[in-house]
Amino acid sequence: MITGISPTTGTSATQGSSSLTNTLGENDFLKLLVAQMQNQDPMNPTDPTQYTAQLAQYSQLEQLIDVNTNLTSLSSTAGNSSQQTEQLSALSLLGKDVVSQGGSFELGSSSVDLGYQLPSAADSVTLQVLDQNQKVVARLQMSDTGAGEHYYSWDGTDSDGHAVAAGNYTLQVAADAGGSAISATPLVKGTVQGVDFTASGSTLATSVGTFNLSDVVSALNQ
């Protein structure tokens, strides 16, 4: 929950920078160059142009290391910025009604706003509520068959009007037009009561269960 936000992890250094440093660092290069100058044959000194070429190589090495370091820093900053933006988005939803796709929800002691989204008009739409054993406990015939989002307040009773047990359920939507099935997206609406930050992303604790922020398709009361 928001009262106990877990820390986020940073981005590791790139392999290129690590490999380059382990192979030949700036200090190592300078030590080799100085040693070469100290141990040259005084009767046959090394051509100055060779030192110039080696200094140029050192300069290129230094620049390459700086580029890799800057890229690593930029990658880490971008990753942290993205996480912070997501977390702020999740926090901004506290107290608001959100709509999640996927159909999973928790039934408590009150009704649940179930919904569906139709890409086009349908001839018939049926909602099916399944329990944890994938058994259909309620089959609901909908009257709203136009394109768009529609919602239905389910009171937690089965097809015979008997109350079902509290717990986890799944919503499925069956829709057809002209005798052919059309794609319909199940929706569940709930009020955000808390926020959790995990390694895999932000989650919202709502009045009808926990939703991944990535599954939220809209937010109300904004």
Side-chain angles (χ1 to χ4, degrees):
M1 296 290 180
I2 183 59
T3 54
I5 300 175
S6 58
T8 58
T9 57
T11 305
S12 62
T14 60
Q15 181 179 355
S17 176
S18 175
S19 176
L20 186 61
T21 303
N22 290 336
T23 302
L24 182 62
E26 297 176 78
N27 291 335
D28 296 327
F29 195 103
L30 286 176
K31 289 179 181 179
L32 288 173
L33 186 59
V34 171
Q36 181 179 349
M37 296 176 64
Q38 291 176 338
N39 293 282
Q40 64 180 327
D41 185 357
M43 302 303 294
N44 185 25
T46 303
D47 188 345
T49 58
Q50 295 185 22
Y51 288 120
T52 302
Q54 291 172 350
L55 287 173
Q57 291 176 0
Y58 168 75
S59 178
Q60 292 174 354
L61 172 66
E62 185 177 30
Q63 292 176 9
L64 185 57
I65 291 176
D66 288 342
V67 168
N68 276 273
T69 300
N70 292 335
L71 287 176
T72 300
S73 177
L74 180 61
S75 175
S76 177
T77 301
N80 291 336
S81 177
S82 177
Q83 284 183 326
Q84 291 172 358
T85 300
E86 177 186 300
Q87 292 171 359
L88 289 174
S89 297
L91 289 172
S92 70
L93 296 175
L94 281 169
K96 294 181 171 62
D97 292 336
V98 295
V99 177
S100 173
Q101 63 183 355
S104 298
F105 66 95
E106 293 180 12
L107 175 67
S109 57
S110 58
S111 60
V112 179
D113 288 331
L114 305 178
Y116 52 99
Q117 193 274 335
L118 298 174
S120 59
D123 293 333
S124 66
V125 179
T126 303
L127 303 186
Q128 293 188 145
V129 180
L130 287 68
D131 63 14
Q132 297 184 71
N133 298 318
Q134 299 302 300
K135 176 184 177 181
V136 177
V137 298
R139 185 175 283 105
L140 311 166
Q141 194 69 35
M142 298 291 100
S143 58
D144 293 328
T145 58
E149 293 183 5
H150 307 281
Y151 295 93
Y152 174 83
S153 181
W154 182 51
D155 60 3
T157 59
D158 60 20
S159 300
D160 297 324
H162 302 129
V164 301
N168 297 317
Y169 292 87
T170 303
L171 173 66
Q172 292 183 346
V173 184
D176 71 85
S180 300
I182 62 175
S183 175
T185 303
L187 305 172
V188 181
K189 185 189 300 182
T191 303
V192 179
Q193 301 171 333
V195 177
D196 283 336
F197 300 142
T198 67
S200 58
S202 301
T203 60
L204 308 176
T206 77
S207 55
V208 290
T210 300
F211 300 151
N212 292 324
L213 180 62
S214 58
D215 290 332
V216 172
V217 294
S218 63
L220 311 177
N221 304 330
Q222 298 202 53

